[in-house]
Amino acid sequence: MASFNSRLNTHNSQLPLEVWAGVECTVNRVGDEYFDQLERNGHATRLDDLDLFAELGIKAIRYPVLWERTAPDGLENADWSWADERLGRLRELGINPIVGLVHHGSGPRHTSLIDPEFPEKLALYARAVAERYPWVTHYTPVNEPLTTARFSGMYGHWFPHGEDELSFLRCMLGECRGVALSMKAIREVNPNAQLVQTDDLGKIYSTPKLAYQAEFENERRWLTFDLLCGRVTPTHRMWGHLRYCGINEAELEWFLENPCPPDIIGINHYLTSDRFLDERKERYPTSSHGGNGRDEYADVEAVRVCAEGAAGPRNLLLEAWERYKLPLAVTEAHLHCTREEQLRWLYEVWNAALQLRSQGVDVRAVTAWSLLGTYDWNSLVTRWVGYYESGVFDLRSSRPRPTAIAKMIRDLSAGRKPDHPLLDTPGWWHRQERLLYPAVSCGVEAGGDEGVTSPSSPSSSSSPLAIVGARGTLGRAFARLCELRGISYRLLTRQEMDIADPASVDAVLTELKPWAVVNAAGYVRVDDAEREPHVCLRVNAEGPAILAAACAEHNVGLLTFSSDLVFDGAVFNPYIESDTVAPLNVYGCSKALAEKLVLKVNPASLIIRTSAFFGPWDDYNFVTIALRQLSAGNTFVAAEDGIVSPTYVPDLVHASLDLLIDGESGLWHLANKGAITWADLARLAAKTAGFNPSNVIALPTQELGLTAKRPTYSVLGTNRGELMSSLDSAMSRYFDECQRF
C-alpha cells in the first residue's frame, strides 16, 4: 500500500480527485444494548461484498476494525478472524482500508467515553491493530468525536446518556485524547501511519437576537480539529468556556504538549446538520422548541427556512481549508431521499471538490457513504425499528443490488462525467419547495450555490420522462410525484401518442427525445374486457409491444405495468416473479401476452406487476369508494373470499421511478406487504377512518355478479426485492395525505 500512501502525500494538482467509499458500521450503545449496523446490514457475514465494492473502481474504503466487535472481553480474548479475512481480501483487491476503531461507540462494557482511562485503553487496542496489520497506513481511531460526544454527553441519546455540558466535554476530550494516544501507539509500529480525522461541520444560523448562540456553536464545531492541532490555548475562544464548565488547565495543556494534527481532515456533511435558531417559536413545530437557559428558541434545519439555502459543501470545505491549510476529503456524502436526489447530492459534492481543487485547495477525495445504506438513523439509532435508507447498494434484494449511484461511482472513478439527464435539475435543497417555514435571510456566504443552475420547471426539459396515460390514475400520480421529485416530464394523452400506432410512437420519441417512457395507459375494465376482448388486447398487449420496440430502436428506457390477474390463484403462497402465469380472464390474458411480447422485442424493459390500487388522488379506487359509501351511512359490499395484496399508489410510483433510474429490467412485483380479502380491506379502511366496520357486507365473489372470473388468491410476493412498506403503514399515510387535500 506504499503507492497509496505516496499518492496521498502528493499535491492534489498532480493527481485526479479520488473516489473513496465507506460502510456504515456504527456500533453504539443505548443502556445495556449495543446496536450494530454491520449485523443489521448483513456485511458481517458477507465477504463477497468486497468484490462488489472493488467493481466500483474505488481507491480506498473507510472500513471498521471496531474495538467493541473485536475485543469486547479484553485484548487477551480478542477475535481477529473477521478483520483478518476482510482486510486481507481488501489488500488482494487493491483497495486501501482507512481503518476505523470506534464509530459512534463508547468501547466495550469495561469502559465508556467518560472513563478517565478510555484514551489509554483505546491506545492499547490501536497498537494491537497496528501490530497485527503493519501494512495498514490510514486510520480513523474515533469517528466524529464532536457528534458522538453531543449524542452521548449532551443530548442523552447514547451511552453514557449525559445531558449536560460537562459530560459532553468529558466525552469530547476523552475521544480526542484517545485519537492522539492511538496514533502515537500506531506510529510506534508504523511511523508512516496517517490520521484521517472525521467530523461533522454543520453550520448554525440564527436571527440577530440569537447571534451569540450561533457564534458559540459555530466555534465549538471546530473543537475536534482545534484540540488535535494544539490550537486550544488560553487565547482560544473556547478556552474560557471549557474552564468555566470544569475542565482544568492540565487537561487542555496536554493537547498543547501532544499535538496530533490530522494528515487529512475528513468532513462529513449532511443537509440536516446546518441549523437555524429563531426565538419566534410560534413559526415552528413544538418538537423544535428548546433553549439555552437564557433564551428560548426553535432549532430547525437551515435549508427549510434560509432564503439563500444552506452553506453547501463548497463553503464548508473552503472554511476548513482557510482555517487549517491541511489536506481535505469529504469522508461522508450521503442523503436519504429518492434516487435522483441522491445522485444530485453526490455529484454536487464532487463538483464542489473539483472547483476548489482548481483554486488551489488540497481536496483529495470524495467518499460515497454509505455503500450498503443505513438502518434507523431517522431515530438516531436509539431503537431498532428496521427503517432502512438505501445507498450505493440496496439491501432489500436477496443480495446487495447496485443502484444508479453505483454507476455514477464507476463513472467518476474512471474519470468519466456522469451524463444522466436528471442531473440537470437542481436538488430539492435548491428548489423553492424546500421552504417549510417563512423564509428568512441567513446571510449565507456567496458561492453556496455556485455551479448550480437556476431551478426550472420539472415539467419541461430537453430530455424529459415521457408518461403515457394522462387521464388515468397512474399517469396523473406519476406526473404529481415527478413534479415533487424534480423530474422533468411530459404527460401524454392518447391523442398525443397512440401506443398502438407505430408511426405515432416514433414521431413522439423523435420529437421529445425522452430518456425513458412510462406506460401508465391501459384498458382497466376487467369485466368489460370479456365483452370486447379485441379492444383490450390492442390497448394492453399490442400497444406495449409496439412501444417497447420503438424504445429499443431509440435507445430509450421503458417502464410498463402488468397485473396480479396473470395468475390463477391455484396456490396459497405469494406469487413471485418467476412463477408460471395462468390467467383466468381476458384482462389477465392481455397482460400476460404483453409481458411476453415486450420482453421479446426489448429485454431491457422494466415490467412491474402490481395489484389492487388505492390512493389519495382519485375518487374511483376501491378504498375511496368504500369510505364514501360508509361516510354517507350506507353499507358497502365486498368479496369475502378474494385475497389480494393492496398497493398504495404513491409507494408504487416512488419505487417504480427508483427502479427505472437504477436501470433495472425484467419482471418485478411491487405491492404493499400484506395479504387481505377485499372485505377486510374495506373494514381496515373503515376502522382507520373511525367508521363502523360492521357496515361492510362480506359476500362470496360469485354472488357479486361479476362477469370476469377472478383468482381467489393473487397475493404478490417477490424474489427480486421487497421495496414496499407494510399495508398498515400505507393505510396510515393514505389518510394523512387525504387530510392534506
Side-chain angles (χ1 to χ4, degrees), residues 72 83 87 109 170 193 212 264 307 309 328 377 387 403 422 481 510 516 553 594 615 629 672 704 725 727:
L87 293 186
R109 294 187 186 278
R170 287 280 175 226
Y212 73 94
I264 298 176
L328 305 173
W377 268 99
Y387 185 85
T403 68
L422 291 180
L481 293 179
T510 300
E553 183 178 346
Q629 290 291 318
N672 291 100
L704 298 181
S725 68
L727 176 58

Side-chain angles (χ1 to χ4, degrees), residues 390-625:
S390 64
V392 180
F393 295 88
D394 192 323
L395 296 181
R396 293 170 294 182
S397 296
S398 57
R399 68 190 301 267
R401 180 181 67 83
T403 68
I405 311 170
K407 181 182 184 303
M408 175 178 277
I409 292 172
R410 288 194 294 269
D411 285 341
L412 295 175
S413 297
R416 296 186 297 265
K417 181 179 180 180
D419 59 357
H420 201 293
L422 291 180
L423 295 174
D424 294 341
T425 303
W428 68 260
W429 52 97
H430 293 297
R431 304 198 301 268
Q432 196 66 20
E433 60 264 29
R434 67 185 169 79
L435 295 170
L436 299 182
Y437 314 112
V440 176
S441 177
C442 298
V444 178
E445 297 90 332
D449 293 349
E450 193 168 332
V452 177
T453 58
S454 298
S456 57
S457 171
S459 60
S460 61
S461 169
S462 58
S463 185
L465 176 68
I467 304 170
V468 184
R471 295 191 176 92
T473 294
L474 194 56
R476 292 197 303 270
F478 266 96
R480 179 189 289 267
L481 293 179
C482 281
E483 196 80 33
L484 178 68
R485 292 173 60 156
I487 296 177
S488 300
Y489 67 92
R490 278 288 301 275
L491 185 57
L492 301 168
T493 64
R494 182 179 175 185
Q495 287 69 36
E496 292 172 300
M497 184 168 81
D498 181 354
I499 62 173
D501 179 351
S504 174
V505 172
D506 184 74
V508 173
L509 295 184
T510 300
E511 178 188 355
L512 286 185
K513 295 180 173 57
W515 63 271
V517 176
V518 173
N519 178 27
Y523 187 108
V524 297
R525 302 186 305 278
V526 176
D527 292 304
D528 289 348
E530 300 296 311
R531 293 186 287 271
E532 45 186 19
H534 297 299
V535 178
C536 178
L537 287 168
R538 180 181 186 275
V539 175
N540 283 357
E542 295 172 20
I546 290 169
L547 181 60
C551 286
E553 183 178 346
H554 286 261
N555 194 27
V556 169
L558 174 64
L559 163 62
T560 191
F561 289 87
S562 187
S563 167
D564 60 327
L565 295 184
V566 300
F567 298 113
D568 61 7
V571 301
F572 287 95
N573 292 310
Y575 285 99
I576 60 175
E577 290 86 353
S578 57
D579 283 336
T580 303
V581 299
L584 300 177
N585 53 48
V586 170
Y587 175 84
C589 286
S590 73
K591 289 296 186 179
L593 180 59
E595 294 175 2
K596 181 179 179 180
L597 294 176
V598 166
L599 291 177
K600 180 179 180 180
V601 299
N602 188 350
S605 300
L606 172 62
I607 302 177
I608 291 176
R609 290 184 185 136
T610 187
S611 167
F613 285 177
F614 72 101
W617 305 319
D618 76 281
D619 294 329
Y620 303 107
N621 66 77
F622 176 87
V623 170
T624 303
I625 294 171

Side-chain angles (χ1 to χ4, degrees), residues 626-627 629-630 633-638 679-688 690-699:
L627 292 174
Q629 290 291 318
L630 295 171
N634 301 323
T635 58
F636 181 76
V637 178
D680 283 340
L681 177 60
R683 293 187 183 109
L684 174 63
K687 183 178 180 181
T688 307
F691 300 142
N692 186 354
S694 64
N695 286 338
V696 175
I697 308 301
L699 295 176

Side-chain angles (χ1 to χ4, degrees), residues 394 396-397 401 655 659 668 670 718 720-725:
D394 192 323
R396 293 170 294 182
S397 296
R401 180 181 67 83
L659 289 174
W668 279 75
L670 291 183
T718 179
R720 298 202 67 181
E722 278 197 353
L723 308 185
M724 305 279 277
S725 68

Side-chain angles (χ1 to χ4, degrees), residues 22-211:
V23 177
E24 166 54 18
C25 57
T26 294
V27 177
N28 65 302
R29 183 177 174 185
V30 177
D32 290 328
E33 185 177 4
Y34 281 90
F35 291 169
D36 188 336
Q37 290 278 333
L38 293 174
E39 294 295 333
R40 293 305 305 275
N41 63 33
H43 183 62
T45 57
R46 285 195 311 267
L47 177 64
D48 57 358
D49 283 357
L50 301 182
D51 295 87
L52 294 177
F53 301 164
E55 292 172 4
L56 300 172
I58 58 175
K59 303 297 183 184
I61 186 169
R62 295 186 59 200
Y63 204 74
V65 183
L66 299 183
W67 190 11
E68 294 95 332
R69 287 179 54 85
T70 307
D73 301 314
L75 271 176
E76 64 278 8
N77 298 308
D79 182 355
W80 300 98
S81 58
W82 190 89
D84 287 350
E85 189 174 40
R86 267 67 182 178
L87 293 186
R89 183 60 183 147
L90 287 172
R91 196 178 190 187
E92 292 171 356
L93 293 168
I95 301 175
N96 188 73
I98 303 169
V99 168
L101 306 181
V102 174
H103 197 100
H104 291 314
S106 53
R109 294 187 186 278
H110 62 266
T111 187
S112 80
L113 296 181
I114 55 174
D115 177 0
E117 297 181 358
F118 174 88
E120 286 77 12
K121 293 175 180 177
L122 177 59
L124 287 174
Y125 175 70
R127 177 186 292 275
V129 173
E131 289 174 343
R132 193 165 189 93
Y133 312 109
W135 55 270
V136 170
T137 57
H138 291 76
Y139 288 87
T140 302
V142 178
N143 174 64
E144 292 191 0
L146 178 69
T147 300
T148 304
R150 285 165 52 215
F151 288 4
S152 301
M154 183 181 295
Y155 306 144
H157 298 321
W158 301 339
F159 190 82
H161 303 291
E163 296 186 58
D164 59 272
E165 190 76 9
L166 181 57
S167 294
F168 157 71
L169 292 173
R170 287 280 175 226
C171 292
M172 181 75 196
L173 268 65
E175 290 175 296
C176 289
R177 193 161 177 260
V179 170
L181 289 178
S182 293
M183 290 309 300
K184 180 181 179 182
I186 290 167
R187 285 168 174 157
E188 288 172 357
V189 177
N190 181 354
N192 296 318
Q194 305 267 299
L195 170 61
V196 181
Q197 184 56 58
T198 62
D199 223 320
D200 190 314
L201 286 182
K203 196 164 185 176
I204 311 300
Y205 303 90
S206 74
T207 60
K209 180 179 180 179
L210 295 169

